[in-house]
Amino acid sequence: MSGILTTPTADRLTAVRITESALATSGVASLAELQAWLAERRRTDVAAVERVPLDDLERWHTDPGTGNIVHDTGKFFRIEGLSAQVGGAAVPAWTQPVVNQPEIGILGILAKEFDGILHFLMQAKNEPGNFDGVEISPTVQATRSNYTQVHRGNPVPYLEYFRDSGSGSGRAAGRHRVVADVLQSEQGAWFFQKRNRNIVVETEEDVEVLDGFAWFTLGQIHLLLARDAVVNMDARTVLSCLPFSGAGLAASFPFPGQDFRNALLRSCSDDAGGLLSTGAILSWITETRTRQEVRAGTVPLRDVEGWVRAGGTVSHESGLFFNVMGISVRAGHREIGSWCQPMVEPIGIGVNAFLVKRVDGVLHALVHARVQPGYLDVTELAPTVQATPGNYSWLPAAARPRFLDEVLAAPPEAIRYDSLLSEEGGRFYHARNRYLVIETDPGHAEDPGADFRWLTLHQLVGLLRHSHYVNVEARSLIACLHSLSGAAG
Amino acid sequence: MSGILTTPTADRLTAVRITESALATSGVASLAELQAWLAERRRTDVAAVERVPLDDLERWHTDPGTGNIVHDTGKFFRIEGLSAQVGGAAVPAWTQPVVNQPEIGILGILAKEFDGILHFLMQAKNEPGNFDGVEISPTVQATRSNYTQVHRGNPVPYLEYFRDSGSGSGRAAGRHRVVADVLQSEQGAWFFQKRNRNIVVETEEDVEVLDGFAWFTLGQIHLLLARDAVVNMDARTVLSCLPFSGAGLAASFPFPGQDFRNALLRSCSDDAGGLLSTGAILSWITETRTRQEVRAGTVPLRDVEGWVRAGGTVSHESGLFFNVMGISVRAGHREIGSWCQPMVEPIGIGVNAFLVKRVDGVLHALVHARVQPGYLDVTELAPTVQATPGNYSWLPAAARPRFLDEVLAAPPEAIRYDSLLSEEGGRFYHARNRYLVIETDPGHAEDPGADFRWLTLHQLVGLLRHSHYVNVEARSLIACLHSLSGAAG
């Protein structure tokens, strides 16, 4: 309780240091060394994953009263039913299976400065649902069951930096400093009110680098983010919560005048204005939450309609949306060597796309205030388009998302980012979405309607200091957009 | 979509105009005129409220399957049961009756400048649960059932300013301007996840002043807030969400050097530092939400344990906490002339108190990150003490709130604010709490423990732009603290 801290200066300094790290493509290791390390991890850290009928999952059972799929301990997560009513929607009411995992996990990245540049300690982690094996993940990616040792695996390395961050206790001037720390939601289509703690802690201590971990600059992570399925969802969401400032950089890194990166860096800057004031954005979000009447709650899995449990899986009668299926895993590098679990297996590849445009030289992204029954607070800001195109063959025509056809028909020269990224491989089996950033002309969608608004990146990152504002798909795209500010752009 | 708005300047200007209004004790009407008007309303707008057994409430019935008390239309609100588990708490699990009202209502105040001073259009409103009849309430105080005309009463006056605020649609430069607009929670002890839209809109239009309405400066409202039961809860919560800045005022209104008001105005200013940075405060809130495992959900009212339905009410077997009872109302000035409804009737008068202290000349309030099962997001910041002392005779000794004894024993010279204010009279019968601000010495509670932190008023008002941060009792106290900056101080 020594002195008075003035927030804005300290925060701005951190944001500039993070942006400097984003521009650094060389760190304690070169990119080539990190790539070789990752390739080696992919070769050695392999898991044998096999499909198993839901009825045969060891240590899991189907509750006779509800049909829910639960672990024998009652812990971890469970597959239940969800009943949703969304007043006025094209599909105003439905039921579906849902993953209910009420405990809050930790997604933590440890940061440390080497030679004046911030580095981030990333883990090469294999999850059973990953399409391509090992991906780059946060330093710590642990459910509460993990870190409280419910399943008696090995202790979670580096956990101590995030469990006793000392953030609020007046000890912030110690050897660890919290850079970002916020609860964020996860996939509202498959999870019921799931949230994780997204936290970044900077340390000045010496840190032992364990097997399977390596220090990256943000620029190095960004270069890998340009590739398919290398940086996992958990890493992307934590990275999106980093303060990120273009202040001063647009001048000191003078890209040619009309370069996309100039508009991007200006969009990240706290002194660039946006089309809307902060007050107008908050009021619009409040309005979307008041206008829509949403009721959602869990129901017994056996009461969901239109879904069939047969052949060891739960599937929709149309064959669309997703399946609930089971896997068995044998792995060498996990806390637990082998286990079984149910998973959600999406049908088809989704598209998550931001339309962006420059307004007075400042990039704006078109966000969608989207209702998903898994959100705690009615709506969250989603990408312009977040959809699996195949699903709409079954749904009423009015349900077809606005801007979907425009995104699918975007000409190559308008595409600023395009990668096939995986969703969380601990709960989702081979879930991949195509992430796109598409630039449109400044006059496009000037009045985008009640559910859409054009926001700057600085405004989105400001919202990301708080819960309930930006959904996980939009957070991934924000990380992708930030990645375009440096060499990856 | 004309130009670029820069937020901070516009927001700061509004905050200064609001503070100027707080210093104005004379407006389009004098305080004496407003008091005479209020006295006249209290004389003429009277309602006959009678206790009625729950079994005899017209148009309400007890659901035979659940024991829940519901309206015959299924709308408005219902009395259900709540089951709560709070891991590690002194009372780790309990059930109780709860008011479930999932619709989001509007609490709106219309603002307009007269002779360069912002005025607020307040309503003299009688609610059946009020202890003293008419109180000062927002321009609009309407449930969704009210404003969508479910009960076919008269239209809600002035509603159009708040339903089509045009805030986010790029029409913000029109004749109405949103000053504040945020969903805020209500009493977490009696409501299940109840929230209202707190909204302030400034207009430049001519406004017809209807019977029962009058324009007040903020300073005039503040003078009435010093009295018992004049400014109602709905008005207090909306007022707390106003941007409020002490910037520049500490200099231009030079109270004597050690005056409490100087420290208060500095605490409201965006250039005064606090003991904690914004990042540290947000991280602490995240930590409290991660640490506590809370499960809460509605259950059938007949399944609550320790509560008895007898003699036409539902009461706790100890006689403590609250009763659920019924009333019949005959009123002349309401949308509907007469009706019946169930209400929550608290036993005893609660204490809601902030301990405050000066740190380097800046006032700080000690907030408590409090779990209440009615919150959507685990914890909200509450007063230092929020308790009904009589209830603790029944609860385990460990449940006795920290700082309660200190607050109850505060010497008169330390008390900066002390009034008996009512809670929402539409759902609560004669619910009154004593609101206190008590100044302690700068060295007090320097390390207040995991659940408490010292925050400035500017930091609290910053959090109030967002949902889920500050509970309704703390919001009332923030309005009370703001009231001390002017003549009422």
Side-chain angles (χ1 to χ4, degrees):
Chain A
M1 286 282 175
S2 48
I4 294 281
L5 296 170
T6 48
T7 319
T9 317
D11 287 353
R12 181 176 297 199
L13 184 61
T14 302
V16 171
R17 290 168 66 225
I18 285 163
T19 313
E20 283 168 353
S21 179
L23 295 167
T25 53
S26 182
V28 293
S30 70
L31 187 66
E33 287 166 336
L34 291 168
Q35 285 176 302
W37 168 80
L38 181 61
E40 173 63 19
R41 298 300 307 183
R42 283 196 161 174
R43 215 162 25 241
T44 55
D45 183 0
V46 288
V49 179
E50 280 175 24
R51 284 175 184 267
V52 174
L54 289 171
D55 307 297
D56 301 341
L57 288 180
E58 248 174 70
R59 306 202 65 189
W60 293 78
H61 67 273
T62 299
D63 182 86
T66 59
N68 295 342
I69 302 166
V70 297
H71 193 259
D72 293 348
T73 61
K75 298 205 178 256
F76 305 108
F77 63 95
R78 47 181 67 207
I79 310 291
E80 303 186 0
L82 173 81
S83 170
Q85 293 98 44
V86 182
V91 183
W94 74 93
T95 53
Q96 65 168 76
V98 77
V99 181
N100 190 359
Q101 182 173 359
E103 28 170 72
I104 294 175
I106 291 178
L107 306 179
I109 297 183
L110 189 62
K112 181 173 158 68
E113 212 174 86
F114 296 95
D115 295 330
I117 299 290
L118 268 183
H119 284 62
F120 300 89
L121 188 62
M122 306 304 284
Q123 183 178 8
K125 192 175 175 77
N126 194 356
E127 293 278 6
N130 287 1
F131 195 81
D132 249 349
V134 163
E135 298 192 12
I136 298 295
S137 79
T139 319
V140 165
Q141 177 179 322
T143 63
R144 195 182 182 97
S145 299
N146 277 145
Y147 69 70
T148 55
Q149 305 276 301
V150 167
H151 59 23
R152 293 175 221 164
N154 302 319
V156 177
Y158 305 110
L159 183 64
E160 64 277 15
Y161 289 99
F162 307 102
R163 286 202 78 183
D164 181 27
S165 57
S167 56
S169 64
R171 284 175 285 134
R175 289 170 67 78
H176 310 322
R177 202 174 57 82
V178 175
V179 177
D181 188 5
V182 59
L183 299 183
Q184 296 290 6
S185 67
E186 300 204 348
Q187 284 78 2
W190 302 324
F191 274 127
F192 183 68
Q193 299 186 348
K194 170 74 159 54
R195 298 194 301 163
N196 273 320
R197 183 176 190 175
N198 287 237
I199 176 167
V200 180
V201 170
E202 183 181 356
T203 184
E204 294 178 11
E205 284 179 359
D206 287 340
V207 178
E208 185 191 1
V209 177
L210 301 174
D211 198 36
F213 293 82
W215 289 107
F216 287 70
T217 69
L218 191 51
Q220 291 172 329
I221 300 172
H222 283 166
L223 286 167
L224 297 181
L225 191 53
R227 307 195 185 172
D228 289 354
V230 176
V231 179
N232 81 356
M233 184 208 84
D234 307 82
R236 299 194 303 271
T237 170
V238 180
L239 293 174
S240 75
C241 297
L242 282 172
F244 195 98
S245 171
L249 292 173
S252 58
F253 293 85
F255 303 115
Q258 294 306 306
D259 194 296
F260 176 78
R261 284 171 293 186
N262 281 342
L264 178 61
L265 284 172
R266 284 206 194 91
S267 182
C268 298
S269 167
D270 60 359
D271 53 7
L275 278 167
L276 298 170
S277 69
T278 303
I281 293 165
L282 295 178
S283 180
W284 167 62
I285 294 170
T286 301
E287 193 274 323
T288 67
R289 290 176 174 169
T290 310
R291 172 163 38 93
Q292 325 239 21
E293 278 203 282
V294 178
R295 307 279 160 89
T298 54
V299 295
L301 182 57
R302 73 160 36 125
D303 292 349
V304 299
E305 288 164 32
W307 294 77
V308 182
R309 180 161 176 172
T313 66
V314 179
S315 310
H316 192 256
E317 58 190 14
S318 66
L320 297 173
F321 306 108
F322 60 85
N323 303 324
V324 179
M325 44 80 83
I327 56 166
S328 80
V329 188
R330 271 178 300 119
H333 284 77
R334 294 286 296 226
E335 307 94 75
I336 296 277
S338 71
W339 73 95
C340 286
Q341 68 171 88
M343 288 209 134
V344 166
E345 178 187 29
I347 309 295
I349 291 177
V351 175
N352 296 325
F354 263 146
L355 290 184
V356 299
K357 68 175 184 180
R358 303 179 209 191
V359 182
D360 294 350
V362 176
L363 203 69
H364 284 63
L366 187 58
V367 298
H368 178 203
R370 187 183 171 100
V371 172
Q372 287 198 291
Y375 298 147
L376 260 176
D377 201 357
V378 191
T379 55
E380 294 195 9
L381 304 187
T384 320
V385 169
Q386 173 187 325
T388 301
N391 288 345
Y392 296 94
S393 62
W394 190 83
L395 295 171
R400 190 164 178 87
R402 215 174 140 195
F403 302 110
L404 174 57
D405 295 325
E406 180 180 341
V407 161
L408 294 177
E413 66 272 16
I415 296 176
R416 302 279 166 262
Y417 181 90
D418 182 1
S419 289
L420 202 56
L421 304 178
S422 60
E423 304 302 326
E424 218 275 301
R427 297 290 171 272
F428 309 129
Y429 186 76
H430 290 191
R432 293 182 302 164
N433 287 309
R434 191 176 168 206
Y435 284 82
L436 288 162
V437 175
I438 296 164
E439 186 169 10
T440 68
D441 65 276
H444 191 61
E446 289 207 343
D447 192 352
D451 292 330
F452 292 85
R453 289 293 180 275
W454 292 100
L455 268 61
T456 68
L457 278 169
H458 179 71
Q459 291 172 332
L460 284 166
V461 169
L463 293 175
L464 277 171
R465 299 190 81 175
H466 310 282
S467 305
H468 311 295
Y469 281 129
V470 183
N471 80 355
V472 66
E473 293 85 0
R475 295 200 304 277
S476 271
L477 278 172
I478 289 166
C480 298
L481 270 164
H482 283 159
S483 79
L484 301 177
S485 63
Chain B
M1 287 284 175
S2 49
I4 293 280
L5 297 170
T6 47
T7 319
T9 317
D11 287 353
R12 181 176 296 198
L13 184 62
T14 302
V16 170
R17 290 168 66 224
I18 285 163
T19 313
E20 283 168 353
S21 179
L23 295 166
T25 52
S26 181
V28 294
S30 70
L31 186 67
E33 287 166 336
L34 291 168
Q35 286 176 302
W37 167 80
L38 181 62
E40 173 65 19
R41 299 299 308 184
R42 284 196 160 174
R43 214 160 30 238
T44 56
D45 184 358
V46 286
V49 179
E50 280 175 23
R51 284 175 183 269
V52 174
L54 290 171
D55 306 298
D56 300 342
L57 287 180
E58 249 175 69
R59 307 201 63 190
W60 293 79
H61 67 274
T62 299
D63 182 85
T66 58
N68 294 342
I69 302 167
V70 298
H71 193 259
D72 293 348
T73 61
K75 297 202 178 259
F76 305 108
F77 63 94
R78 47 181 66 207
I79 309 290
E80 302 186 359
L82 173 81
S83 169
Q85 294 97 46
V86 181
V91 183
W94 74 95
T95 54
Q96 65 166 77
V98 77
V99 181
N100 190 359
Q101 183 173 0
E103 29 170 71
I104 294 174
I106 292 178
L107 306 178
I109 296 183
L110 190 61
K112 182 174 157 66
E113 211 174 89
F114 296 94
D115 295 331
I117 297 290
L118 268 182
H119 285 61
F120 300 90
L121 188 62
M122 307 302 285
Q123 183 178 8
K125 192 175 174 74
N126 194 355
E127 292 279 7
N130 287 0
F131 195 81
D132 247 349
V134 163
E135 297 191 12
I136 298 294
S137 80
T139 319
V140 165
Q141 176 179 323
T143 64
R144 194 182 182 96
S145 299
N146 277 145
Y147 70 71
T148 55
Q149 303 277 301
V150 167
H151 58 22
R152 292 175 221 163
N154 304 319
V156 177
Y158 304 110
L159 183 63
E160 64 275 16
Y161 289 98
F162 306 102
R163 288 202 77 182
D164 180 25
S165 57
S167 55
S169 64
R171 285 176 284 135
R175 290 170 65 79
H176 310 321
R177 203 174 56 83
V178 175
V179 177
D181 188 4
V182 59
L183 299 182
Q184 295 290 6
S185 68
E186 300 204 347
Q187 283 79 0
W190 303 324
F191 274 126
F192 183 68
Q193 299 186 349
K194 170 73 159 56
R195 297 194 301 163
N196 274 319
R197 184 176 190 175
N198 288 237
I199 178 168
V200 179
V201 170
E202 182 181 357
T203 184
E204 295 178 9
E205 286 180 359
D206 288 339
V207 177
E208 185 192 359
V209 177
L210 300 174
D211 198 37
F213 293 82
W215 290 107
F216 287 70
T217 68
L218 191 50
Q220 290 172 330
I221 299 171
H222 281 166
L223 285 168
L224 296 182
L225 191 52
R227 307 196 184 173
D228 288 355
V230 175
V231 179
N232 81 357
M233 183 209 85
D234 307 82
R236 298 194 304 268
T237 170
V238 181
L239 293 174
S240 76
C241 297
L242 283 172
F244 195 97
S245 171
L249 292 174
S252 58
F253 293 86
F255 302 116
Q258 293 308 306
D259 195 295
F260 176 78
R261 284 171 294 186
N262 282 340
L264 178 61
L265 284 172
R266 285 207 193 91
S267 181
C268 297
S269 167
D270 59 358
D271 52 7
L275 278 167
L276 297 171
S277 70
T278 304
I281 294 165
L282 296 178
S283 181
W284 167 62
I285 294 170
T286 300
E287 193 273 323
T288 68
R289 290 175 175 170
T290 310
R291 171 164 37 94
Q292 325 239 20
E293 278 203 283
V294 178
R295 306 281 160 88
T298 55
V299 295
L301 181 58
R302 74 159 37 124
D303 291 349
V304 300
E305 286 164 33
W307 293 77
V308 182
R309 179 159 175 174
T313 67
V314 178
S315 309
H316 191 258
E317 58 189 15
S318 66
L320 297 173
F321 306 110
F322 60 85
N323 303 324
V324 179
M325 43 81 83
I327 57 167
S328 81
V329 187
R330 270 178 302 119
H333 283 76
R334 295 284 295 226
E335 308 92 77
I336 295 276
S338 70
W339 74 93
C340 286
Q341 67 172 87
M343 288 209 134
V344 165
E345 178 187 28
I347 310 295
I349 291 177
V351 175
N352 294 325
F354 263 147
L355 290 185
V356 299
K357 68 175 184 178
R358 302 178 209 192
V359 183
D360 293 350
V362 177
L363 203 69
H364 284 63
L366 187 59
V367 298
H368 178 203
R370 188 183 171 100
V371 172
Q372 290 198 287
Y375 297 146
L376 260 175
D377 202 357
V378 191
T379 53
E380 295 195 9
L381 303 187
T384 320
V385 168
Q386 173 186 326
T388 301
N391 289 344
Y392 296 94
S393 61
W394 190 82
L395 296 171
R400 189 162 180 90
R402 213 173 141 198
F403 301 111
L404 174 58
D405 295 325
E406 179 180 343
V407 161
L408 294 177
E413 66 273 16
I415 297 176
R416 302 281 167 260
Y417 181 91
D418 182 0
S419 289
L420 200 58
L421 304 178
S422 60
E423 303 303 325
E424 219 274 300
R427 296 291 172 270
F428 308 130
Y429 187 76
H430 291 190
R432 293 183 301 165
N433 287 309
R434 190 174 168 207
Y435 284 83
L436 287 162
V437 175
I438 296 165
E439 187 169 10
T440 67
D441 66 275
H444 190 61
E446 289 207 344
D447 192 351
D451 292 330
F452 291 85
R453 288 294 180 275
W454 292 100
L455 268 61
T456 69
L457 278 169
H458 180 71
Q459 291 172 332
L460 284 166
V461 169
L463 293 174
L464 277 172
R465 298 191 82 176
H466 310 283
S467 305
H468 311 295
Y469 281 131
V470 183
N471 80 356
V472 66
E473 292 84 359
R475 296 201 302 279
S476 270
L477 278 172
I478 289 167
C480 298
L481 271 163
H482 283 161
S483 79
L484 301 178
S485 62

